[in-house]
Every structure is written in C-alpha cells, then in structure tokens.
Amino acid sequence: MTRFLCVCILFWGMSVFSQEETTIINAKNEALSQIIPSIEKQFKIKFSYIDATIINKPISLQTSVKTTLEEVIDLLQKQTQLKFEITGKNFITIRKYSKTDTISICGYIYNESNEPLERIRVFFKGSRTNTTTNDQGYFENQEVPFNTPILISAPGFRQKVLNSSEFTNTKCTNIYLINAIETLDEVVIQEYLTKGITQNKRVVNINLEDIEILPGLTEPDILQSIQLTPGVNSPFETASGLYVRGSAPNQNLVLWNGIKTYHQGHLFGMISAFNPYVVKEVDFSKSGVSAQYGDRISGIIDIKTEDKIANRFSGGAGFNLINSDAVIHTPIIKDKVSLQISGRRSYTDILETFTYKQFADRVFQNTTIAETIELNDAKNDFFYEDYNANLIAKISDFDKIEANALYSKNDLDFKRSDNLMSFNDNLITENEGYNLSWKHQSNNGFNLKTSGYYTRYLLNYQFITGESGNIIETESKKNSVKDLGAAIDVTYSLSQYHTILGGYQFSNNTIKYAFVTTTPTYELILDQDNRLLNTHSIYGEYKYEIPKNLYLSMGVRFNNYAELNQSFIEPRIFIQKNLSKSWEINATGEYRSQAVSQIRESVVSDLSLENQVWTLSNKEQFPVITSYQFTLGSSFKKHKWYFDIDTYYKQIDDITSLTAGFINPIDNTYHTGESRVYGVDLFLKKRFNNYKTWVSYSYINTKNKFEDINNNQSFPGNWNIEHTVKWSHFYKVNNFQFSLGWLWHTGKAFTNVDGVDENGNLVVLDFGEINGNNLPIYHRLDFSAIYDFKIGANPNTKYRLGLSVLNLYDRENLLNREFRTTNSLDNRFINSDIVALGITPNISFRIFW
C-alpha cells in the first residue's frame, strides 16, 4: 500500500511539473489589458492600441509552448470583436473593425422544430454574393465585409436579416427561421415559372440544383426549359432551335463557362447537348443585355458549372430510354482543389427503344434513311456523346483558377446496298471547347477576371456511292470553325449603390466550308470559302441600384472587325423603377452587331440533315448584321398572383436571303435585306399552396424586305408564328411532383406552289406569294412526373424515378411544308412535309450521392 501511494505521488508530481512547464498563460475572464503583457513576453511582440478601445474586454485564454501567434490572434478577435492587425515584423495594432475588413463566418439554419433546413439561400449584401445551406443546414463564407447585412430567405419562412458583426464568436451561429404564411407572397414572387427558375431585371435564372419538374421533362433539359418562357419558339420541335423574338437560333450567343459554342444539340437538335447534372445555373436574356456580351444580336444563354471547392465526394448516375450518364465531383486537395467530370452517351446504336424510334421517325422523315426502297443490309448506326471536365483551384483567399473542357459528338453512319450498288451516308458533328480563367476578388470591392478560350466545331458529311465494291463517287460537305479568344474583365464597387465594370475582349475566328464531288477521274468543287476575322472589343458599364426602388444600367461596347475594316459603337441601357411594393415598370434599348452567321444549303444529296453551315461576314456577300431593340414592360405581384407584360420592337439590318433561309421561292443568288419585328409577351401565374399554374401569350409579327424580291415589298418571315399560348400546371404532394403543359400556336408561314412545269428537261416550279400561307394550328399536351425517395440510412444517397409523355393525345401536327427539286441530273419535284413528334413516352432513373 505504501509503495502504491508513493507511485501515485510521483506521477502526480510529474503531471504538475509538466503542466507548469507547458502552460504559459492560463486566464479566465481576465481583462485584456492584464493579459497583453504576458502575450508580448511569450511571442516577443508589441501591441499598439488606444486604452479606450480595450476597456471591458474580458478574455479567457490558455497557451503553451506549442501555441502559435495566429491561433491567439484568431481567438482574441472572436472574443473581443476587435481587429488585431499585424503592422510590422513584431508589432500588432488593436483597433475596431471597419467595413473594409472581412471576417470568416459560419452558421446552421433550423426551423422552429429544430430541424436543419437544406438549400436555404444566404445573401451577403456587402460583397453581393450568396450561398446555400447543405443537408445539415450549414453554410459558411470566408470573406464577409464586417458590419454588413446578411439576408436569409426561404419559401414559407419569414425573411431574416442579420449583421455580419454578430458572427464574431468562437462557434458557428445557430439561426432559427419562423414560419410565416403572411409573408409568403413576397418570397414566391422570386419564382418565375417554378422553383429554381427566377427572373430579376429581365434576366431569367435557372438553378439546375433546385429546379422543379417541368411539362414533358423528367430531367431538367436546359434549352427546353428556356422554351417555356414567353417570346421563345421552337417551330421544328427541337431543343436547340430557339427562335427568340423573331431571330434565328444562330443569332443566339450560347456560352459554356465562357466558351462559345457553335452546336448545341444531340440527335439533330432534339436533345440538348449540355448535361444538366453538371450545370449549376443558367442566365437567359432576351433584352436589356449587358455590354460585356457581344458577337450575337439575339438571346444570351450563359451556362455555368459549379465554381466552389467540393468538400466531399459527390455525384450521380442515371439513364433514360435514350442515353445514360454519370457525374462525379471530388476534392483533390482539401479546401484548395477539386475536380468535376461527367460523361453521357446514347445507346441507340446498340438498342433502339420505342422512345428513340419516335424521335428517329421525326428526324429522318423526308431523307434517304426514310425511303421505302428495299435494299439488302440497310443499317443505320447513330449515337451521340458528350464529356465535361471542370478543375477549380483556390490558390489564396482572394484568388481562384478554373479550367474547363467541353466535348460533344453526333455520329450517323447509314449504309444500304443491293447486289450491284452500295450507298453510305456518314455524318459527324463535333463541338469542343477549353477555357482557363483566373479570378481575383479583393476586400475593397475590386474584382478582376482574366480568361482565355478555344472552341472548335466540325461538320463532316460524306455521301459515298459504290459499285461492285469500288467507290465511284463521293459527295462531301465540310464546315469547320476555330475560335480562339481572351478577355480581361474588371468590376469595381464605388459605393453601396454604384458599380462600374469594363474590359477588353479579343477573338480570332477562322471558318471554312466546302462542297466537293470526287470521282476516281476528277474533283469538282461546287462551292468553298475560307475566312479569318480578328475582333477587338472594349466595353464599359455603370450600374446604379437602390433595392426595391430604382435600378439603372448604362453601357457601351466598341467592336472593331479588323479584316473588314469596320467598327461599331453599341450603346445599351436598362432602367427599372418600382412604383409601389407590388408594381414596377422597366424599359431597355440596345444596339448590337454580329459578324458570324449560318447560311442554308441543299447542294449535297437528299439527306437534308445539318443543312446549315457557318460563315463569316465579308464586304461582298455577307455584311455584318446589326440590330436595334427597344422594350417597355411592367410587372405586378400580390397575393400569390404574378402578372408581367413586355412589349418590344426589333430592327435587324443587312441580312441576306440565304441567312434568312429563302432557298426555294427565289434564286440562290445573294439578296440583302432587313427584318422588322414587333410583339408583346404576356405572363400570368397563380399559386395555391402545393399547386401552381401559369399561362403565357405571345404575339409576334415579323416582316422581311429584300432588294429585287417580291417587288421590294415586305412579307412574313420564314419562321413567323403570330400567336402562341403556353399553359402549364405543377402539383407536389409528399415526394411526388406532377406537371402538365399545353402548347398552342398558329401555323408557321410557308410559300405555296401554284404550278409545276415538267415538260422540259428540268422541273420548273411556279411559286405563289412568298410566305403567303400558313400551316394548320399546332397544339399538343405534355405530361411528366417524378418520385424522390431514399433507401437505407445514408442521408447523402437519394434516388429519383421519372416518367414523361410528349404529345399525350397523339396529335398529328404539321411543322413545315417545303417544295423543291433535286439537284441531280434526275431532276424531280419534291413535296417535303415535316410531321411533328407523335406520342413519345420516356422513363428515367437516377441516383444522387
């Protein structure tokens, strides 16, 4: 017993000696002024301060020989709410925080039942940034200006306003939101169509991480979601064929992380080429475009992927009746570097489902693939694929580097033969792009971004004719685009209400196309072009905003097209005024130019797929297209009602007959003209708890006028659809979401044939009034439903099962009517009616982790 007591005393003495040796400062609720001398002695530093600053600042602090000065400063700042600033090698100044200082904050958001709230938006007004909570209700921000408002808002809860100074403590703050039905109207207004789709200052924002189901979609297709907004039509039922307020799809600027894209569709436009599970958000503008956007005269679709460092391994995988895909987002260096990659591929070349056959019937009609001539070994192999990679590196608290890569491909190989002859249609389209950017964000409101990109588009079509195993003729069509560019963008906040931005952008664009017929004895070039254009752009913009009162944006862009020796000054203005809490009005005006466009061709075979080729402007045949656009609109919101009206006038100058698509009614020579568009978009939405419905009506009138065509008189545009109604419904119950949408519009304009002369060697068509007729009324009903569920106890693993049906009542709609003759020696008359998609179901399954 005596030995045991001696051993205990010995170990107790060693413990006391060790504690005395390692513990240097051990203070509990002592005045800061009394602790400072001990800190100065341990770390051999000197503090500088005003006595009044540190009065009534109790401190609890314990240090050892292993404690660092940075740890002590961090603890003192959180306990005192004072700024400890290192001003020299061995000097630290103690002062009060100012708005130029930033602090690191974190918090957990709960409801009144103490349950964590996921995907709650937290807006930091001082830096004009936002974040969302994770599944534990947690959020953080490393750089928040001190003593600035933090707004927390969520549907069904009262908005909470906090001050960043409240977060200067040692622990993450717990925040509780209060249910408030009476304030729900103000929050619901943020929704435009449905949850995840909002509109602010005429910019439609689509948050793909938060979007609810839309009619006919089990998966959130980016481009088809945009089609549900008023003023956007798709006359040919394609996803990528977005006709925005009377403008052609090639007049839209579509960016992927700053990369220009020249091909946005799979399956000849029926499906978007962008994997929605990689995309974080999309900004879509029809008017009031910022001066930083150039190169196109119509809509702006700015697609962005995740820009934050992943804190855990996450992703998803799934399939539908056409394709399958997988996405992963993984940290590489904790809090420093992360990588997001994805891949998607159709299996249509292996298995042809009913869904694919319906799409194929729609796409391949009026082509050689749909001919009824029976040939031996007729086989159509088609597939598409796309891949994405996104590397994010945080090199400091103020600097971030991003590297992005995009690739998509469509591959069609159609073969048929008999005992003597063989025919092969081979069509490949590719679009790839790369982007590297560096972003610098400082505490004084100065932000800098430098970036460079390279994008390449390739269209390669070959129609190969063989006889007895030998190639006797090859008709080819090739179109390539190589676009290399760089940009410097600067943003500076002059004050809480004033912001200026500006920058310089450069583009080096090379576009080639060629139509060639090759035989063993000769090569005949039907048409070809090879052009280069360097574009230099400088822009500046001033923004003035008083929230819920007035917003004004004024900008100007200067474009210089070097090889054309032409320059354009493009003013832009947007103004929005709140007349009351529920009513606002807005107006925009803009001038824009475009030096790249697509022309329609039909000189190679009868495949009639991908018959648009890119070309650059020149001084002889294709002048630079310019456009004026003016809008006047207003919106009203109250008691779960939302009403919006937008009127517009658009003037497009220096278009040509080929860029406008007039291949049949007139000759194939070049005619310069203009287009005048005016219209109105109406939107009405009402919400009833878990059910909401919205309806839009669009009126558009497009008139074209060309020299030496139609006696120089105006006539309707090729894709003019005067009246369009879109009526959608959404209902949610438990884990189920249902959506129903009805689309109705008047028929597209077309030119009829009054007579056909087949007496001579060539068939001659006698056309009637240009676009003087309209197709029958178009309408269809689309349905979709999804079910979200979990299996097991892992909260991060979720599952989704989806069902969609396009054209639910199997309406037979006519999309286009066109009359032409073949371009071969066997000249014949062709009546090309294109029938719309029939009833098309689809099923999808997906897992998220």
Short mmCIF file of all heavy atoms in Angstrom, two decimals, residues 764-782:
data_model
loop_
_atom_site.label_atom_id
_atom_site.label_comp_id
_atom_site.label_asym_id
_atom_site.label_seq_id
_atom_site.Cartn_x
_atom_site.Cartn_y
_atom_site.Cartn_z
N VAL A 764 -39.67 22.87 -113.36
CA VAL A 764 -39.74 24.29 -113.01
C VAL A 764 -40.96 24.52 -112.14
O VAL A 764 -42.08 24.10 -112.49
CB VAL A 764 -39.83 25.17 -114.28
CG1 VAL A 764 -39.93 26.64 -113.90
CG2 VAL A 764 -38.62 24.93 -115.18
N LEU A 765 -40.74 25.17 -110.98
CA LEU A 765 -41.81 25.43 -110.03
C LEU A 765 -42.27 26.88 -110.14
O LEU A 765 -41.45 27.80 -110.23
CB LEU A 765 -41.35 25.14 -108.60
CG LEU A 765 -40.80 23.73 -108.32
CD1 LEU A 765 -40.42 23.60 -106.86
CD2 LEU A 765 -41.81 22.65 -108.71
N ASP A 766 -43.58 27.05 -110.13
CA ASP A 766 -44.16 28.38 -110.15
C ASP A 766 -44.67 28.69 -108.74
O ASP A 766 -45.71 28.20 -108.31
CB ASP A 766 -45.31 28.43 -111.16
CG ASP A 766 -45.96 29.81 -111.22
OD1 ASP A 766 -45.30 30.79 -110.77
OD2 ASP A 766 -47.11 29.91 -111.68
N PHE A 767 -43.90 29.48 -108.00
CA PHE A 767 -44.23 29.77 -106.61
C PHE A 767 -45.26 30.88 -106.53
O PHE A 767 -45.27 31.82 -107.33
CB PHE A 767 -42.99 30.18 -105.82
CG PHE A 767 -42.04 29.03 -105.56
CD1 PHE A 767 -40.93 28.84 -106.35
CD2 PHE A 767 -42.29 28.15 -104.52
CE1 PHE A 767 -40.05 27.80 -106.11
CE2 PHE A 767 -41.43 27.11 -104.27
CZ PHE A 767 -40.31 26.92 -105.06
N GLY A 768 -46.08 30.79 -105.49
CA GLY A 768 -47.06 31.83 -105.22
C GLY A 768 -46.46 32.94 -104.37
O GLY A 768 -45.25 33.14 -104.33
N GLU A 769 -47.31 33.65 -103.66
CA GLU A 769 -46.86 34.75 -102.81
C GLU A 769 -45.94 34.22 -101.72
O GLU A 769 -46.22 33.23 -101.07
CB GLU A 769 -48.07 35.44 -102.17
CG GLU A 769 -47.71 36.63 -101.32
CD GLU A 769 -48.94 37.25 -100.67
OE1 GLU A 769 -50.07 36.81 -101.02
OE2 GLU A 769 -48.79 38.15 -99.84
N ILE A 770 -44.79 34.90 -101.53
CA ILE A 770 -43.81 34.44 -100.56
C ILE A 770 -44.40 34.45 -99.14
O ILE A 770 -44.88 35.49 -98.67
CB ILE A 770 -42.54 35.32 -100.61
CG1 ILE A 770 -41.89 35.21 -101.99
CG2 ILE A 770 -41.54 34.90 -99.54
CD1 ILE A 770 -40.67 36.07 -102.15
N ASN A 771 -44.37 33.27 -98.51
CA ASN A 771 -44.90 33.11 -97.15
C ASN A 771 -46.31 33.65 -97.02
O ASN A 771 -46.69 34.22 -95.99
CB ASN A 771 -43.97 33.76 -96.12
CG ASN A 771 -42.67 33.00 -95.96
OD1 ASN A 771 -42.59 31.82 -96.28
ND2 ASN A 771 -41.65 33.67 -95.46
N GLY A 772 -47.08 33.48 -98.10
CA GLY A 772 -48.46 33.97 -98.08
C GLY A 772 -49.44 33.00 -97.49
O GLY A 772 -50.64 33.30 -97.41
N ASN A 773 -48.97 31.81 -97.08
CA ASN A 773 -49.85 30.80 -96.49
C ASN A 773 -49.34 30.41 -95.11
O ASN A 773 -48.18 30.64 -94.77
CB ASN A 773 -49.92 29.56 -97.39
CG ASN A 773 -50.43 29.88 -98.78
OD1 ASN A 773 -49.69 30.34 -99.65
ND2 ASN A 773 -51.72 29.64 -99.01
N ASN A 774 -50.24 29.81 -94.34
CA ASN A 774 -49.87 29.34 -93.01
C ASN A 774 -50.25 27.88 -92.83
O ASN A 774 -51.28 27.42 -93.34
CB ASN A 774 -50.56 30.17 -91.92
CG ASN A 774 -50.03 31.59 -91.85
OD1 ASN A 774 -50.52 32.48 -92.52
ND2 ASN A 774 -49.01 31.79 -91.03
N LEU A 775 -49.42 27.17 -92.08
CA LEU A 775 -49.71 25.78 -91.75
C LEU A 775 -50.90 25.72 -90.79
O LEU A 775 -51.26 26.73 -90.18
CB LEU A 775 -48.49 25.12 -91.10
CG LEU A 775 -47.22 25.03 -91.95
CD1 LEU A 775 -46.08 24.46 -91.13
CD2 LEU A 775 -47.46 24.19 -93.19
N PRO A 776 -51.50 24.53 -90.64
CA PRO A 776 -52.63 24.40 -89.69
C PRO A 776 -52.20 24.70 -88.25
O PRO A 776 -51.02 24.72 -87.91
CB PRO A 776 -53.05 22.94 -89.85
CG PRO A 776 -52.52 22.52 -91.18
CD PRO A 776 -51.27 23.29 -91.40
N ILE A 777 -53.19 24.93 -87.40
CA ILE A 777 -52.97 25.18 -85.98
C ILE A 777 -52.18 24.02 -85.37
O ILE A 777 -52.43 22.83 -85.64
CB ILE A 777 -54.30 25.35 -85.23
CG1 ILE A 777 -55.03 26.60 -85.72
CG2 ILE A 777 -54.07 25.42 -83.72
CD1 ILE A 777 -54.34 27.89 -85.38
N TYR A 778 -51.23 24.36 -84.51
CA TYR A 778 -50.41 23.35 -83.81
C TYR A 778 -50.82 23.34 -82.34
O TYR A 778 -50.94 24.39 -81.72
CB TYR A 778 -48.93 23.71 -83.93
CG TYR A 778 -47.98 22.83 -83.13
CD1 TYR A 778 -47.25 21.84 -83.76
CD2 TYR A 778 -47.81 23.01 -81.76
CE1 TYR A 778 -46.37 21.04 -83.05
CE2 TYR A 778 -46.93 22.22 -81.04
CZ TYR A 778 -46.21 21.23 -81.68
OH TYR A 778 -45.35 20.44 -80.97
N HIS A 779 -51.00 22.14 -81.77
CA HIS A 779 -51.19 22.05 -80.32
C HIS A 779 -50.85 20.64 -79.85
O HIS A 779 -50.99 19.66 -80.58
CB HIS A 779 -52.62 22.43 -79.91
CG HIS A 779 -53.70 21.59 -80.53
ND1 HIS A 779 -54.14 20.40 -80.00
CD2 HIS A 779 -54.43 21.80 -81.66
CE1 HIS A 779 -55.10 19.91 -80.76
NE2 HIS A 779 -55.29 20.73 -81.78
N ARG A 780 -50.38 20.56 -78.62
CA ARG A 780 -50.03 19.26 -78.02
C ARG A 780 -50.05 19.39 -76.50
O ARG A 780 -49.92 20.50 -75.95
CB ARG A 780 -48.68 18.76 -78.51
CG ARG A 780 -47.49 19.35 -77.79
CD ARG A 780 -46.17 18.77 -78.29
NE ARG A 780 -45.09 19.02 -77.36
CZ ARG A 780 -43.80 18.94 -77.67
NH1 ARG A 780 -43.46 18.61 -78.89
NH2 ARG A 780 -42.88 19.18 -76.76
N LEU A 781 -50.18 18.25 -75.82
CA LEU A 781 -50.23 18.19 -74.36
C LEU A 781 -49.10 17.30 -73.87
O LEU A 781 -48.94 16.17 -74.35
CB LEU A 781 -51.58 17.64 -73.90
CG LEU A 781 -51.83 17.59 -72.38
CD1 LEU A 781 -51.94 19.01 -71.83
CD2 LEU A 781 -53.10 16.80 -72.08
N ASP A 782 -48.30 17.81 -72.92
CA ASP A 782 -47.17 17.07 -72.37
C ASP A 782 -47.37 16.83 -70.88
O ASP A 782 -47.91 17.69 -70.17
CB ASP A 782 -45.86 17.83 -72.59
CG ASP A 782 -45.54 18.05 -74.05
OD1 ASP A 782 -45.97 17.22 -74.88
OD2 ASP A 782 -44.88 19.06 -74.37
#
